[in-house]
Amino acid sequence: PGSSVAIPLATGDADWSAVGTVTDVVGEKVLMFGHSFLAEGDVDLPMGTAYVHTVVPGLAGSFKLGSALRTTGAAVRDEYVGMSGRLGREASMVPMTVTVHWVREGLTERYRYGVARHPGLTGMLTMYLAMDAILGWREMPEHHTLRYKLSLEFENLGRIEAENVSSDAGCFALLSDATRPILTLQNNPLGPPPRLLSVEMEARIEEGSIEAEVLDLVLDGQVYRPGETVTGQVIVRPFRKDRTAIPVRFALPEDLPEGRHVLTASDADGALSRLRMERPHRFTPRTVEELREAIGRVLSVRADHLHLHLPLGRGGVALAARELPDLPDSKALILAQARPMDASPFAEALVRTVPTDYVLYGSAGAAFEVRREAGEIRIHQQNKDAR
């Protein structure tokens, strides 16, 4: 009683602990803090001895600066009036590894942590530990590019993996991609939260910006037949460089109806936004497994790809996650009158991606006509000559 006690939240290459005071020890039971930590009832957090280095005084409030020493048990209850723990009990931690490659310095740093399991804290701790690993010893170059890989392993759900790139945005994209799946799955309303088994991150920091703005989409022709390939160029403006063109090719389906169509070239955000509007059922999960699939769908959209999108002018009805395209009018009418709770309309579109050397932002579109007659007027060469 009266000695210091710690609740380690992060261990290994970082020591993040909540330090308090032991109220009493009865056998293997420990009463501590004299106040709540989070006041949430049952918990399963590490508990151990602590050392107070000094008291930091302040007019608004003083506090003790302390460190965890040795883990001796686990905290099991967190009430308004205090916490209780049990000696000899073990609270498992989530192993986490962060590898950082500094290309300009020719340096690789690797950090290993243990992260406390908690529905609200694990995701936030993961984010701050990764931020500390990347930015704790040096700042990124003023203009930089971050290429990263991410792997989160969950019990019964397997691995959620992501690989992407950002430019002149710090480490926000990596932290967001890592934190959102953990918080979403651990606090989901659909079923028991899956157990997080491990977290692995790898970041490669390069000097220089590769951002580029999408300015225009110029097609080589104005009239095409179904089944032909639309060709053209997307004009982009890289950071502090002259405009350049990215060639694009888009094969039209054989059954594309006649009339006016619009091809859109956009960044990752635009592509994801259109997918959500056209197929909302893919982002309305009804099980934890469907939630995991939706998370993977979001993480798979690359920021360094040009996303080409062509609406097909047709769609269907989705029953839960099952899509029913090209329903006969009679069946569509029956569904509309029945109004099943899990039914939602969706629109079909063709989507193609073009890898680029840039992190793109913005969008542009170009209209063209589809005709089936043999005597169409084509102006491919005229457009090329004009450019």
PDB file of all heavy atoms in Angstrom, residues 79 114 151 186 228 301 305:
ATOM      1  N   GLU A  79     -13.577   0.580 -11.980  1.00  0.00           N
ATOM      2  CA  GLU A  79     -14.803   1.194 -11.488  1.00  0.00           C
ATOM      3  C   GLU A  79     -14.558   2.677 -11.173  1.00  0.00           C
ATOM      4  O   GLU A  79     -13.414   3.148 -11.150  1.00  0.00           O
ATOM      5  CB  GLU A  79     -15.294   0.473 -10.232  1.00  0.00           C
ATOM      6  CG  GLU A  79     -15.598  -1.002 -10.441  1.00  0.00           C
ATOM      7  CD  GLU A  79     -16.815  -1.228 -11.327  1.00  0.00           C
ATOM      8  OE1 GLU A  79     -17.515  -0.240 -11.637  1.00  0.00           O
ATOM      9  OE2 GLU A  79     -17.070  -2.389 -11.704  1.00  0.00           O
ATOM     10  N   GLY A 114       4.516  -4.027 -27.830  1.00  0.00           N
ATOM     11  CA  GLY A 114       3.360  -4.776 -27.385  1.00  0.00           C
ATOM     12  C   GLY A 114       2.257  -3.772 -27.068  1.00  0.00           C
ATOM     13  O   GLY A 114       2.496  -2.785 -26.368  1.00  0.00           O
ATOM     14  N   SER A 151      -0.209  -4.805 -42.737  1.00  0.00           N
ATOM     15  CA  SER A 151      -0.803  -6.122 -42.561  1.00  0.00           C
ATOM     16  C   SER A 151      -1.377  -6.228 -41.157  1.00  0.00           C
ATOM     17  O   SER A 151      -0.665  -6.069 -40.168  1.00  0.00           O
ATOM     18  CB  SER A 151       0.246  -7.222 -42.791  1.00  0.00           C
ATOM     19  OG  SER A 151      -0.316  -8.504 -42.561  1.00  0.00           O
ATOM     20  N   GLN A 186     -13.268  -3.861 -34.021  1.00  0.00           N
ATOM     21  CA  GLN A 186     -13.354  -4.071 -32.580  1.00  0.00           C
ATOM     22  C   GLN A 186     -14.589  -3.426 -31.968  1.00  0.00           C
ATOM     23  O   GLN A 186     -14.961  -3.757 -30.842  1.00  0.00           O
ATOM     24  CB  GLN A 186     -12.088  -3.553 -31.899  1.00  0.00           C
ATOM     25  CG  GLN A 186     -10.859  -4.402 -32.198  1.00  0.00           C
ATOM     26  CD  GLN A 186      -9.695  -4.084 -31.301  1.00  0.00           C
ATOM     27  OE1 GLN A 186      -9.576  -2.975 -30.782  1.00  0.00           O
ATOM     28  NE2 GLN A 186      -8.812  -5.039 -31.108  1.00  0.00           N
ATOM     29  N   GLU A 228     -15.286  -1.567 -79.860  1.00  0.00           N
ATOM     30  CA  GLU A 228     -14.029  -0.907 -80.192  1.00  0.00           C
ATOM     31  C   GLU A 228     -13.340  -0.410 -78.918  1.00  0.00           C
ATOM     32  O   GLU A 228     -13.918  -0.412 -77.830  1.00  0.00           O
ATOM     33  CB  GLU A 228     -14.268   0.248 -81.162  1.00  0.00           C
ATOM     34  CG  GLU A 228     -14.640  -0.203 -82.562  1.00  0.00           C
ATOM     35  CD  GLU A 228     -14.662   0.957 -83.549  1.00  0.00           C
ATOM     36  OE1 GLU A 228     -14.992   2.086 -83.132  1.00  0.00           O
ATOM     37  OE2 GLU A 228     -14.347   0.728 -84.724  1.00  0.00           O
ATOM     38  N   VAL A 301      -8.034   0.507 -53.117  1.00  0.00           N
ATOM     39  CA  VAL A 301      -8.021   1.571 -54.130  1.00  0.00           C
ATOM     40  C   VAL A 301      -6.698   2.329 -54.044  1.00  0.00           C
ATOM     41  O   VAL A 301      -6.390   2.940 -53.026  1.00  0.00           O
ATOM     42  CB  VAL A 301      -9.210   2.529 -53.927  1.00  0.00           C
ATOM     43  CG1 VAL A 301      -9.215   3.601 -55.005  1.00  0.00           C
ATOM     44  CG2 VAL A 301     -10.525   1.755 -53.958  1.00  0.00           C
ATOM     45  N   HIS A 305      -2.938   5.222 -59.066  1.00  0.00           N
ATOM     46  CA  HIS A 305      -3.586   4.702 -60.266  1.00  0.00           C
ATOM     47  C   HIS A 305      -4.582   5.720 -60.797  1.00  0.00           C
ATOM     48  O   HIS A 305      -5.247   6.415 -60.025  1.00  0.00           O
ATOM     49  CB  HIS A 305      -4.313   3.388 -59.966  1.00  0.00           C
ATOM     50  CG  HIS A 305      -3.391   2.217 -59.833  1.00  0.00           C
ATOM     51  ND1 HIS A 305      -3.830   0.920 -59.826  1.00  0.00           N
ATOM     52  CD2 HIS A 305      -2.042   2.152 -59.701  1.00  0.00           C
ATOM     53  CE1 HIS A 305      -2.803   0.097 -59.681  1.00  0.00           C
ATOM     54  NE2 HIS A 305      -1.702   0.833 -59.601  1.00  0.00           N
TER      55      HIS A 305
END
